[in-house]
Amino acid sequence: MPIPLADRVVVFLAYDPGISPKGGGLPGLAVLKNVVNSINLFGIVAVVGALAVSLGVWAWGHHTGGHQAEATGKKGAVVAAGAALGLGAANGVVAFFSSLGSQVH
């Protein structure tokens, strides 16, 4: 008896290629980790500068009555705080979703 087309598609889509992350498989992994760590550090330093400038603009706008500058400073401070949160949590977020994805069968 022939297998219906829908069953053949499900069997094809359910194929497990057997791929999983393995450390040490390629040369240069330590260098790549060092580069990514350096980029993350550079981003954090840039966020500190952006936060300082945004807080300065916020304070300047507040004390001079410049509502547009005050709103821009607030927006910049929130964006810088969000960027700091994202940069700091990047490793944990990727690890969380990677382990969550490895549980899918």
Side-chain angles (χ1 to χ4, degrees), residues 27-97:
L29 184 61
V31 173
L32 182 61
K33 285 181 182 180
N34 193 17
V35 168
V36 172
N37 287 338
S38 298
I39 291 170
N40 196 355
L41 176 64
F42 180 78
I44 290 172
V45 170
V47 164
V48 169
L51 182 61
V53 169
S54 295
L55 293 176
V57 169
W58 184 359
W60 176 74
H62 177 75
H63 290 294
T64 61
H67 300 293
Q68 183 67 33
E70 185 178 0
T72 303
K74 287 179 187 179
K75 186 175 16 174
V78 170
V79 169
L85 178 68
L87 287 168
N91 195 33
V93 169
V94 170
F96 172 76
F97 283 108

